[in-house]
Amino acid sequence: MKNKRRIGRQIGISIILIAIIVFLFPFYKSKYIEYKSSIYTEELKEKVIDMRDDEKIKIKEEAKKYNLNINSAENLKDPFDENNQKNVDPFIDIGENEAVGTIDIDKINLHMPIFLGASDENLAKGAAVIEGTSLPIGGRGTRSVIAGHRGYYSAPEFIHINLLEENDIIKLNILGDEMTYIVKDQELIYPYDTGSLGIIENKDMITLLTCDPIPSFKYRLLVNAERSPDEIEAEKLENEIEVVKIEKNEKKDKDGKKEKEKIEIKEISKSEVDPVVIKREKLHKGIRIIGTIILVFVLYLWIKNLRDKK
């Protein structure tokens, strides 16, 4: 009789242990994904530091040529369709399976690497540029569509982009060049309605794309953003200076030294992290801590039960 009770207790504890592990797995997987994203980001930073100027220029020229050949968005493939999630070759030569840049949105505490090609493999590592849209290097007449998962815990990268509002800030860092985009609006489309992702004449745009709503994922949520006007003007002026190659407005100070006029770009202040994001992250952290304590306690009872049986 005692043996039956012990066996029953052992089975009961084992079931509880398995249930807790299954429950906590998505939380810890989420943290693992964040850890891997940080590694890709650090590797990219080191690569950019070590990259020669002529290498950067070559990649950017290839990217510009690629963007010039972008015509229509009608034939774009939905990155979240299982039939379209095969590995894709990078659009330009940046190295196999390497990130091309990073995306940072302070309001929703989003910081992740960007890869070229929205394959299943790349989307598992971070955000990814959809093939057939512009590469995110800036420039009028470009629209880079960047996809990211909307999974609740296992891959939470774009879970909060629905909280982005007009005038919120999105920052891209592509091979060391930082670009600022300002959110304009949101759209909800069907997965096959890719025609709305086309380039808008003379606009420098990016669009974030993810599934919506959770958990049906029937539609695709778009967050459209345009390049900061200050950066567009500064970039235009910088190009003019580069073409003409003259230095302006040099003057001598009292010590006979020369000062070059500096072009100051108005700095756009960072958005504060949304309270909803903070609340959810605190909740998730609390669940992980409580779950871990319960897991350790149940594991202790399970081991104790095995010893008592002996």
Side-chain angles (χ1 to χ4, degrees), residues 135-200:
L135 295 174
I137 58 169
R140 291 183 183 274
T142 62
R143 186 178 190 177
S144 180
V145 182
I146 303 172
H149 276 303
R150 190 82 185 281
Y152 191 51
Y153 291 125
S154 59
E157 292 94 342
F158 275 17
I159 190 171
H160 296 307
I161 69 168
N162 61 302
L163 298 176
L164 294 176
E165 300 172 317
E166 187 177 1
N167 295 324
D168 285 336
I169 304 301
I170 300 173
K171 286 187 177 291
L172 300 186
N173 191 308
I174 306 298
L175 295 176
D177 292 340
E178 188 173 276
M179 293 171 286
T180 301
Y181 288 83
I182 302 173
V183 174
K184 293 301 177 182
D185 56 36
Q186 291 188 11
E187 295 180 69
L188 206 58
I189 65 172
Y190 286 104
Y192 52 80
D193 186 19
T194 58
S196 58
L197 296 172
I199 292 170
I200 299 177

Side-chain angles (χ1 to χ4, degrees), residues 33 40 79 84-90 96-98 113 115-128 149 157:
I33 291 173
Y40 292 126
N84 298 331
Q85 290 186 340
K86 297 178 181 179
N87 291 336
V88 296
D89 294 327
E96 188 175 0
N97 298 324
E98 291 187 6
F115 296 87
L116 297 185
S119 64
D120 190 39
E121 180 183 359
N122 284 343
L123 287 170
K125 297 185 293 186
H149 276 303
E157 292 94 342

Side-chain angles (χ1 to χ4, degrees), residues 19-51:
I20 293 173
I21 291 173
V22 171
F23 175 73
L24 289 177
F25 175 75
F27 290 96
Y28 288 108
K29 184 180 178 182
S30 171
K31 284 299 172 185
Y32 174 73
I33 291 173
E34 288 181 17
Y35 168 71
K36 291 291 290 182
S37 291
S38 67
I39 290 178
Y40 292 126
T41 301
E42 289 303 315
E43 287 177 349
L44 175 64
K45 288 179 180 177
E46 292 177 5
K47 176 182 177 180
V48 171
I49 291 173
D50 295 337
M51 189 178 291

Side-chain angles (χ1 to χ4, degrees), residues 2 21 37 48 57 62 70 72 85 92 106 129 131 157 161 202 212 265 268 306:
K2 288 184 178 180
I21 291 173
S37 291
V48 171
I57 292 172
E62 288 181 7
I70 301 295
S72 171
Q85 290 186 340
I92 56 175
D106 291 324
V129 178
E131 187 174 7
E157 292 94 342
I161 69 168
N202 292 324
D212 194 78
I265 302 174
I268 300 175
L306 288 177

Side-chain angles (χ1 to χ4, degrees), residues 262-276:
K262 294 181 179 179
I263 302 169
E264 295 182 355
I265 302 174
K266 181 181 177 183
E267 184 178 355
I268 300 175
S269 60
K270 295 182 178 179
S271 304
E272 295 181 357
V273 179
D274 194 286
V276 176

